[in-house]
Amino acid sequence: MAKERVTVVEIAHAAGVSKSTVSLVLQGSPLVNETTRAKVSAVIRDLGYVYNRGAANLRQSNSKSKIIGIVVNDLTNSFFAELAVGVDMVVQSAGYVQFLSNSGENIDRQREVIASMREHGISGLIVSPARGTEAADLKPLVASGIPVVVVVRNVPGAKVSSLMSDNHAGVMAAVEHLVGIGHRRIAFLGGFADTAVFGERLEGYRDAMRKAGLEAADDLVIGSAPSRAGGVDAVTRALAIVDRPTAAVCFNDAVAFGVCDGLRAKRLEPGRDFAVVGFDDVIEAKTAVPALTTISVDPQGMGQRAAQLLLKQISAGKVDAEAIVASVRLVVRQSCGAGRLNDGKRIAS
Amino acid sequence: MAKERVTVVEIAHAAGVSKSTVSLVLQGSPLVNETTRAKVSAVIRDLGYVYNRGAANLRQSNSKSKIIGIVVNDLTNSFFAELAVGVDMVVQSAGYVQFLSNSGENIDRQREVIASMREHGISGLIVSPARGTEAADLKPLVASGIPVVVVVRNVPGAKVSSLMSDNHAGVMAAVEHLVGIGHRRIAFLGGFADTAVFGERLEGYRDAMRKAGLEAADDLVIGSAPSRAGGVDAVTRALAIVDRPTAAVCFNDAVAFGVCDGLRAKRLEPGRDFAVVGFDDVIEAKTAVPALTTISVDPQGMGQRAAQLLLKQISAGKVDAEAIVASVRLVVRQSCGAGRLNDGKRIAS
DNA sequence: GGTTTTAATTGGAACGATCCAAATTTGTCA
DNA sequence: TGACAAATTTGGATCGTTCCAATTAAAACC
């Protein structure tokens, strides 16, 4: 059943030329005569030849493998799925393929998959690091000259490029908007307190509150798992506070959806009885009811940018780490109630 | 910056043995003496050697590459993202890595990525085919003895293994349940009419309606994009029918969520004023409000099964196509209203 | 026509691992 | 201790491609 591979030598023999010529044809060299090129190409098609990249980049000096690796911490989160799609798009059209793995927030597994990718000779890596990733985990990569781009979360101390969204500014804009439409008791809900991203967003919240002359009481920030279930949990606790908040900016969209769920379970209508703002602008944010007001980071675009950055470094051959913070904008929809209260930026569901 | 690779020969030299011995150590052969093994291992660690799988499976007879490919038609759909996660789990723990690509429902791109994967010598492929995929697209793979497992959607005529959920039985169970709690006008919403999956589910709907002695009027089946937005669209049209349906089984969960959105926009509460049943049981189905009654297919489990099936075929060396239909079960939650009407199978939000 | 230029083609050595048969060391036993 | 077996170790040869220097064929020039 399992036929053996057709090789260049067999092509060469069948076409009556040397393997070198076949190789030349394969890489589209201008050195070869048009008629022989046509002849060889025909044979290649007829025999069903498949190129063996493994053999090729064994010979090609420093393993330019046309493979880039991408590992994300949670592929079931649609933010990361879309990020991966964005990466795939540009990577694919540049003639690369992507090794994608899901670390599932497990640092040992992340180490394994990165090691495995290295063995396969990836020529670059995009990673959204699992919690607790240290600079040492990426060290060997950069030491062997493989470009690395970390996205979403930073890895302090690692000399690699990073692409992060402007968490601080985003949350500030959200809080300012809520203040602008009259809210005073604004909570910050969801997220694990020990992550850098949480820290940045929380700082944005605190700064904006301070700037507005409002109190950011500690009981108004309630951590939880950064998931839909976590959001339900967080809002339930928030509503138990004696002096209830009237609005919340959430750690991310998943939490925000959970918050909406939790509100409904308490017979409160998000947008009308309680303002909710998310972070990420995942694809469902637009079509949900009520449509989610959120801070847009365009995960797909972010994936594309990360991929472009990586490809640039690969082709440049040198790795000078640059830290890019992607700007971010507040998308006002219905879940914050603004549509009814002021400017009519309401978007049809 | 870019150090050159350390090779076995250098290890051998540094450890004072031959490259053959180093190779033996690398593959954990029992032929090598413990003390030399320790010595060599130490050197390997010290020099920061990375195994070159490309070179290895060039020599290893029929390119057993430890790479499996997986291509899905829409990674932004969380069903497929979870499927990929399931595949990754078992594939990873079997020592393989996965090439993942997103065809984005584009058949040309699918062809490209499959070709590229072949060039990289994948030893198996799991594919959730893009719409319009033909047997010819998979032909070359099976001809060269590479096991292929198609999931979710069938490719008629292709001699490959398939793993599909029992669409017919699932939808039948859903309709029967709705009939059981008193509904008579039941719609079938969403999905592209030209897909096999749609056909199977629609057939299940028709059979169940007929069995219950109900009319399955043509205006009760309304196609749309299989997405949240499509669901909104479909239910809007459904509500415009003079003799309104009181319940709907939806093409999938994404559509079902859209249907809920569309109902709310018309001031109807899903579960109370209109029964909604989905298909897939994606992760959000449980936490949504109301929790979605749906036909559970456990995408992650399906990915795992697909991967196991593929690995079995890879190790068996022979490709005898088997068609598995994964059984499916109705999960009764709140969106169908059953929680209030009868057996109290209500699940806490 | 002979010589230089240009265009096309080619054989062999490499890439970094594994495999195999053969060589070496070590151990066992009469 | 010598013979024989078992345990280790080891040089090529090899996988399928690309690279390089060198060769051949065709074209151009005086």
Side-chain angles (χ1 to χ4, degrees), chain B residues 84-102:
Chain B
V85 170
V87 171
D88 194 39
M89 278 173 150
V90 348
V91 138
Q92 194 60 236
S93 61
Y96 285 71
V97 292
Q98 73 171 356
F99 261 139
L100 184 142
S101 257
N102 181 32

PDB file of all heavy atoms in Angstrom, chain B residues 84-102:
ATOM      1  N   ALA B  84      -9.532  20.884  17.885  1.00  0.00           N
ATOM      2  CA  ALA B  84      -8.083  20.935  17.719  1.00  0.00           C
ATOM      3  C   ALA B  84      -7.376  20.696  19.048  1.00  0.00           C
ATOM      4  O   ALA B  84      -6.350  20.016  19.108  1.00  0.00           O
ATOM      5  CB  ALA B  84      -7.662  22.274  17.133  1.00  0.00           C
ATOM      6  N   VAL B  85      -7.950  21.247  20.103  1.00  0.00           N
ATOM      7  CA  VAL B  85      -7.351  21.044  21.415  1.00  0.00           C
ATOM      8  C   VAL B  85      -7.376  19.561  21.782  1.00  0.00           C
ATOM      9  O   VAL B  85      -6.390  19.012  22.280  1.00  0.00           O
ATOM     10  CB  VAL B  85      -8.088  21.865  22.488  1.00  0.00           C
ATOM     11  CG1 VAL B  85      -7.632  21.467  23.874  1.00  0.00           C
ATOM     12  CG2 VAL B  85      -7.855  23.340  22.260  1.00  0.00           C
ATOM     13  N   GLY B  86      -8.509  18.911  21.498  1.00  0.00           N
ATOM     14  CA  GLY B  86      -8.616  17.486  21.779  1.00  0.00           C
ATOM     15  C   GLY B  86      -7.572  16.691  21.006  1.00  0.00           C
ATOM     16  O   GLY B  86      -6.895  15.824  21.566  1.00  0.00           O
ATOM     17  N   VAL B  87      -7.417  17.018  19.764  1.00  0.00           N
ATOM     18  CA  VAL B  87      -6.417  16.336  18.945  1.00  0.00           C
ATOM     19  C   VAL B  87      -5.026  16.573  19.519  1.00  0.00           C
ATOM     20  O   VAL B  87      -4.250  15.636  19.703  1.00  0.00           O
ATOM     21  CB  VAL B  87      -6.457  16.846  17.489  1.00  0.00           C
ATOM     22  CG1 VAL B  87      -5.273  16.309  16.708  1.00  0.00           C
ATOM     23  CG2 VAL B  87      -7.754  16.435  16.822  1.00  0.00           C
ATOM     24  N   ASP B  88      -4.751  17.807  19.826  1.00  0.00           N
ATOM     25  CA  ASP B  88      -3.434  18.169  20.338  1.00  0.00           C
ATOM     26  C   ASP B  88      -3.089  17.341  21.571  1.00  0.00           C
ATOM     27  O   ASP B  88      -1.977  16.868  21.728  1.00  0.00           O
ATOM     28  CB  ASP B  88      -3.403  19.656  20.672  1.00  0.00           C
ATOM     29  CG  ASP B  88      -1.983  20.164  20.888  1.00  0.00           C
ATOM     30  OD1 ASP B  88      -1.086  19.722  20.147  1.00  0.00           O
ATOM     31  OD2 ASP B  88      -1.776  20.983  21.793  1.00  0.00           O
ATOM     32  N   MET B  89      -4.074  17.172  22.444  1.00  0.00           N
ATOM     33  CA  MET B  89      -3.843  16.439  23.685  1.00  0.00           C
ATOM     34  C   MET B  89      -3.260  15.051  23.432  1.00  0.00           C
ATOM     35  O   MET B  89      -2.181  14.742  23.927  1.00  0.00           O
ATOM     36  CB  MET B  89      -5.155  16.281  24.444  1.00  0.00           C
ATOM     37  CG  MET B  89      -5.528  17.477  25.256  1.00  0.00           C
ATOM     38  SD  MET B  89      -7.181  17.225  25.929  1.00  0.00           S
ATOM     39  CE  MET B  89      -7.051  18.175  27.446  1.00  0.00           C
ATOM     40  N   VAL B  90      -3.972  14.246  22.645  1.00  0.00           N
ATOM     41  CA  VAL B  90      -3.510  12.870  22.517  1.00  0.00           C
ATOM     42  C   VAL B  90      -2.296  12.784  21.604  1.00  0.00           C
ATOM     43  O   VAL B  90      -1.383  11.988  21.832  1.00  0.00           O
ATOM     44  CB  VAL B  90      -4.634  11.888  22.064  1.00  0.00           C
ATOM     45  CG1 VAL B  90      -5.990  12.523  22.146  1.00  0.00           C
ATOM     46  CG2 VAL B  90      -4.372  11.322  20.699  1.00  0.00           C
ATOM     47  N   VAL B  91      -2.275  13.639  20.610  1.00  0.00           N
ATOM     48  CA  VAL B  91      -1.169  13.639  19.677  1.00  0.00           C
ATOM     49  C   VAL B  91       0.135  14.013  20.397  1.00  0.00           C
ATOM     50  O   VAL B  91       1.172  13.387  20.231  1.00  0.00           O
ATOM     51  CB  VAL B  91      -1.511  14.623  18.545  1.00  0.00           C
ATOM     52  CG1 VAL B  91      -0.318  15.445  18.155  1.00  0.00           C
ATOM     53  CG2 VAL B  91      -2.091  13.873  17.367  1.00  0.00           C
ATOM     54  N   GLN B  92       0.021  15.003  21.214  1.00  0.00           N
ATOM     55  CA  GLN B  92       1.160  15.493  21.985  1.00  0.00           C
ATOM     56  C   GLN B  92       1.682  14.397  22.915  1.00  0.00           C
ATOM     57  O   GLN B  92       2.880  14.143  22.985  1.00  0.00           O
ATOM     58  CB  GLN B  92       0.685  16.706  22.791  1.00  0.00           C
ATOM     59  CG  GLN B  92       1.731  17.573  23.403  1.00  0.00           C
ATOM     60  CD  GLN B  92       2.675  18.176  22.402  1.00  0.00           C
ATOM     61  OE1 GLN B  92       3.872  17.979  22.525  1.00  0.00           O
ATOM     62  NE2 GLN B  92       2.172  18.894  21.408  1.00  0.00           N
ATOM     63  N   SER B  93       0.765  13.740  23.611  1.00  0.00           N
ATOM     64  CA  SER B  93       1.231  12.760  24.582  1.00  0.00           C
ATOM     65  C   SER B  93       1.724  11.490  23.911  1.00  0.00           C
ATOM     66  O   SER B  93       2.316  10.636  24.546  1.00  0.00           O
ATOM     67  CB  SER B  93       0.124  12.455  25.594  1.00  0.00           C
ATOM     68  OG  SER B  93      -0.993  11.921  24.932  1.00  0.00           O
ATOM     69  N   ALA B  94       1.493  11.371  22.614  1.00  0.00           N
ATOM     70  CA  ALA B  94       2.054  10.242  21.888  1.00  0.00           C
ATOM     71  C   ALA B  94       3.378  10.639  21.259  1.00  0.00           C
ATOM     72  O   ALA B  94       3.945   9.899  20.462  1.00  0.00           O
ATOM     73  CB  ALA B  94       1.081   9.762  20.818  1.00  0.00           C
ATOM     74  N   GLY B  95       3.856  11.819  21.591  1.00  0.00           N
ATOM     75  CA  GLY B  95       5.152  12.245  21.101  1.00  0.00           C
ATOM     76  C   GLY B  95       5.127  12.865  19.719  1.00  0.00           C
ATOM     77  O   GLY B  95       6.159  13.016  19.082  1.00  0.00           O
ATOM     78  N   TYR B  96       3.953  13.196  19.264  1.00  0.00           N
ATOM     79  CA  TYR B  96       3.851  13.858  17.967  1.00  0.00           C
ATOM     80  C   TYR B  96       3.652  15.360  18.162  1.00  0.00           C
ATOM     81  O   TYR B  96       3.328  15.821  19.250  1.00  0.00           O
ATOM     82  CB  TYR B  96       2.645  13.314  17.192  1.00  0.00           C
ATOM     83  CG  TYR B  96       2.853  11.932  16.612  1.00  0.00           C
ATOM     84  CD1 TYR B  96       2.902  10.808  17.431  1.00  0.00           C
ATOM     85  CD2 TYR B  96       2.998  11.753  15.250  1.00  0.00           C
ATOM     86  CE1 TYR B  96       3.084   9.528  16.895  1.00  0.00           C
ATOM     87  CE2 TYR B  96       3.175  10.496  14.700  1.00  0.00           C
ATOM     88  CZ  TYR B  96       3.225   9.387  15.531  1.00  0.00           C
ATOM     89  OH  TYR B  96       3.402   8.147  14.987  1.00  0.00           O
ATOM     90  N   VAL B  97       3.839  16.105  17.111  1.00  0.00           N
ATOM     91  CA  VAL B  97       3.432  17.495  17.137  1.00  0.00           C
ATOM     92  C   VAL B  97       2.418  17.702  16.033  1.00  0.00           C
ATOM     93  O   VAL B  97       2.356  16.927  15.080  1.00  0.00           O
ATOM     94  CB  VAL B  97       4.610  18.466  16.917  1.00  0.00           C
ATOM     95  CG1 VAL B  97       5.556  18.429  18.082  1.00  0.00           C
ATOM     96  CG2 VAL B  97       5.312  18.157  15.622  1.00  0.00           C
ATOM     97  N   GLN B  98       1.617  18.728  16.176  1.00  0.00           N
ATOM     98  CA  GLN B  98       0.606  18.933  15.165  1.00  0.00           C
ATOM     99  C   GLN B  98       0.849  20.212  14.371  1.00  0.00           C
ATOM    100  O   GLN B  98       1.134  21.265  14.892  1.00  0.00           O
ATOM    101  CB  GLN B  98      -0.798  18.949  15.784  1.00  0.00           C
ATOM    102  CG  GLN B  98      -1.144  20.184  16.579  1.00  0.00           C
ATOM    103  CD  GLN B  98      -2.614  20.227  16.981  1.00  0.00           C
ATOM    104  OE1 GLN B  98      -3.387  19.358  16.603  1.00  0.00           O
ATOM    105  NE2 GLN B  98      -2.998  21.225  17.757  1.00  0.00           N
ATOM    106  N   PHE B  99       0.764  20.045  13.071  1.00  0.00           N
ATOM    107  CA  PHE B  99       0.677  21.153  12.149  1.00  0.00           C
ATOM    108  C   PHE B  99      -0.787  21.538  12.087  1.00  0.00           C
ATOM    109  O   PHE B  99      -1.599  20.746  11.641  1.00  0.00           O
ATOM    110  CB  PHE B  99       1.071  20.701  10.749  1.00  0.00           C
ATOM    111  CG  PHE B  99       2.468  21.020  10.368  1.00  0.00           C
ATOM    112  CD1 PHE B  99       3.223  20.096   9.669  1.00  0.00           C
ATOM    113  CD2 PHE B  99       3.027  22.239  10.679  1.00  0.00           C
ATOM    114  CE1 PHE B  99       4.521  20.395   9.287  1.00  0.00           C
ATOM    115  CE2 PHE B  99       4.322  22.532  10.299  1.00  0.00           C
ATOM    116  CZ  PHE B  99       5.059  21.608   9.617  1.00  0.00           C
ATOM    117  N   LEU B 100      -1.132  22.735  12.523  1.00  0.00           N
ATOM    118  CA  LEU B 100      -2.530  23.106  12.427  1.00  0.00           C
ATOM    119  C   LEU B 100      -2.716  24.232  11.441  1.00  0.00           C
ATOM    120  O   LEU B 100      -1.981  25.214  11.458  1.00  0.00           O
ATOM    121  CB  LEU B 100      -3.079  23.522  13.792  1.00  0.00           C
ATOM    122  CG  LEU B 100      -4.587  23.847  13.792  1.00  0.00           C
ATOM    123  CD1 LEU B 100      -5.227  23.356  15.079  1.00  0.00           C
ATOM    124  CD2 LEU B 100      -4.834  25.322  13.641  1.00  0.00           C
ATOM    125  N   SER B 101      -3.680  24.065  10.562  1.00  0.00           N
ATOM    126  CA  SER B 101      -3.988  25.174   9.679  1.00  0.00           C
ATOM    127  C   SER B 101      -5.486  25.355   9.553  1.00  0.00           C
ATOM    128  O   SER B 101      -6.263  24.450   9.834  1.00  0.00           O
ATOM    129  CB  SER B 101      -3.391  24.950   8.297  1.00  0.00           C
ATOM    130  OG  SER B 101      -2.236  25.753   8.152  1.00  0.00           O
ATOM    131  N   ASN B 102      -5.824  26.535   9.173  1.00  0.00           N
ATOM    132  CA  ASN B 102      -7.207  26.929   9.064  1.00  0.00           C
ATOM    133  C   ASN B 102      -7.516  27.176   7.597  1.00  0.00           C
ATOM    134  O   ASN B 102      -6.935  28.066   6.996  1.00  0.00           O
ATOM    135  CB  ASN B 102      -7.397  28.219   9.885  1.00  0.00           C
ATOM    136  CG  ASN B 102      -8.813  28.710   9.849  1.00  0.00           C
ATOM    137  OD1 ASN B 102      -9.740  27.915   9.772  1.00  0.00           O
ATOM    138  ND2 ASN B 102      -8.975  30.022   9.905  1.00  0.00           N
TER     139      ASN B 102
END
